[in-house]
Amino acid sequence: MLVDRFGRSATDLRVSLTDRCNLRCTYCMPAEGLDWMPGPDLLDDDEVIALITVAVHRLGVTEVRFTGGEPLLRRGLEKIVAATAALSPRPRISLTSNGVWLARRIDALATAGLDRVNISLDTVRADRYRMITRRDRFDDVLAGLAAAKAHGLGPVKINAVLLRGVNDDEAVPLLRFCLEHGYQLRFIEQMPLDAQHSWDRAQMVTAAEILDSLGAAFTLAPTADPRGSAPAERWLVNGGPATVGVIASTTRPFCDACDRTRLTADGQVRNCLFSRTETDLRGPLRAGADEETLAGLWRGSAWAKAAGHGINDAGFTQPGRSMSAIGG
């Protein structure tokens, strides 16, 4: 198992397949994009599959989520999903995406074994979508959401970040949209992971503010289900069964129950989203290391995990990598 000094076990693996993205969200990266990883630095499809196999067979991973950048830009995505689904024990497989290309690939992904999707959508207004993402792809995202639901890849979850002075008036419209279409909404506090390093705590829309906005239009009550290691606190909406969640990484940290480990697109293990150190698996893998050697390196990374991410500590420093390079 991937255990640390504080008794936590990492059973949820986030696998970044690329640092590239086809959007340019203002809170993530500059309009011109970033200096993408060189092709030879990236794990190829078979290398990704090999490391996922180590995680599932030797380290107790039970959930695998593919992220980016934008994972739908990875040509071999269906091959990787199918190989992951063929593992025994079979992990639960999900995808975090901006949804732009989802409708065109949903048939192949569902056939390959994808179980569920999370789609990032910060507004229900096409004009604001263009402003935030610097792209005119709002209708494509809506089509991707509908396609995922039609293929039974549920629950279809929407991740939304509220930005002060931009879309902070959309908590209620976003929830109404999700209730109407049968999607599950998760608000995420903006985190210090932007490439520009311009995150400002004072400008962050907090969980308390989000809940206050929602409470003006809906009756919210905490769910009775144990939260466990889930990052989102959930509330029943108008008595249920629909729920809304808030992931408050900054104002309500949940590090003590974290069960996640991360593999970057260039083969580095990160034991925390905000870690400033990584463990290289690409080099040993390409040098011919066997599964147990790779598993041992991964266990060492897990054991060194800090008690918390430290965002609220006086000496906190933002990671050198941005979210698109780390993987969500």
Side-chain angles (χ1 to χ4, degrees), residues 76-77 115 140 154 165 176 180 209 227 241 249 251 276 290 326:
L77 176 58
D115 295 311
D140 293 320
R176 284 181 173 148
E180 178 183 352
E209 292 175 286
R227 180 179 179 181
S249 299
T251 63
R276 297 190 58 79
D290 61 20
I326 295 172

Side-chain angles (χ1 to χ4, degrees), residues 63 139 145 159 181 183 192 222 247:
E63 297 186 37
D139 290 340
L145 285 164
N159 297 334
H181 294 279
Y183 306 138
I247 300 174

Side-chain angles (χ1 to χ4, degrees), residues 255 258 260-262 269-277 301 305-306 308-310 319 326:
C255 301
C258 180
R260 285 167 291 289
T261 182
R262 288 177 165 81
V269 166
R270 298 177 64 89
N271 57 28
C272 174
L273 186 59
F274 296 93
S275 177
R276 297 190 58 79
T277 61
S301 171
K305 186 172 183 172
H309 53 47
I326 295 172

Side-chain angles (χ1 to χ4, degrees), residues 6 30 46 63 85 109 241 288 294 309 318-319 327:
F6 304 96
D46 291 334
E63 297 186 37
L109 286 169
L294 295 167
H309 53 47
Q318 181 173 335

Side-chain angles (χ1 to χ4, degrees), residues 91-249:
R92 183 160 173 80
I93 305 168
S94 57
L95 178 78
T96 294
S97 167
N98 61 33
V100 170
W101 284 6
L102 185 58
R104 70 180 72 177
R105 298 184 71 173
I106 195 71
D107 289 342
L109 286 169
T111 299
L114 184 66
D115 295 311
R116 195 182 61 72
V117 296
N118 280 35
I119 304 299
S120 299
L121 183 65
D122 303 319
T123 177
V124 293
R125 290 175 42 176
D127 59 333
R128 279 191 176 164
Y129 183 88
R130 286 192 299 271
M131 178 180 66
I132 293 170
T133 67
R134 302 185 177 104
R135 297 292 187 269
D136 188 11
R137 306 303 296 269
F138 183 71
D139 290 340
D140 293 320
V141 179
L142 297 188
L145 285 164
K149 183 180 178 183
H151 279 75
L153 301 186
V156 176
K157 295 183 180 180
I158 289 180
N159 297 334
V161 176
L162 297 184
L163 308 169
R164 197 173 301 284
V166 177
N167 65 337
D168 53 350
D169 59 344
E170 287 206 65
V172 170
L174 277 162
L175 182 50
R176 284 181 173 148
F177 170 80
C178 289
L179 294 174
E180 178 183 352
H181 294 279
Y183 306 138
Q184 289 189 9
L185 179 60
R186 299 290 183 266
F187 290 102
I188 303 176
E189 287 183 339
Q190 186 185 2
M191 294 180 284
L193 290 168
D194 59 304
Q196 305 93 310
H197 286 214
S198 60
W199 179 82
D200 182 353
R201 179 185 297 270
Q203 292 300 308
M204 178 184 66
V205 180
T206 67
E209 292 175 286
I210 293 167
L211 292 171
D212 283 346
S213 295
L214 295 176
F218 305 97
T219 300
L220 303 180
T223 60
D225 299 332
R227 180 179 179 181
S229 59
E233 294 182 81
R234 296 188 305 131
W235 284 263
L236 292 171
V237 180
N238 295 337
T243 64
V244 62
V246 179
I247 300 174
S249 299

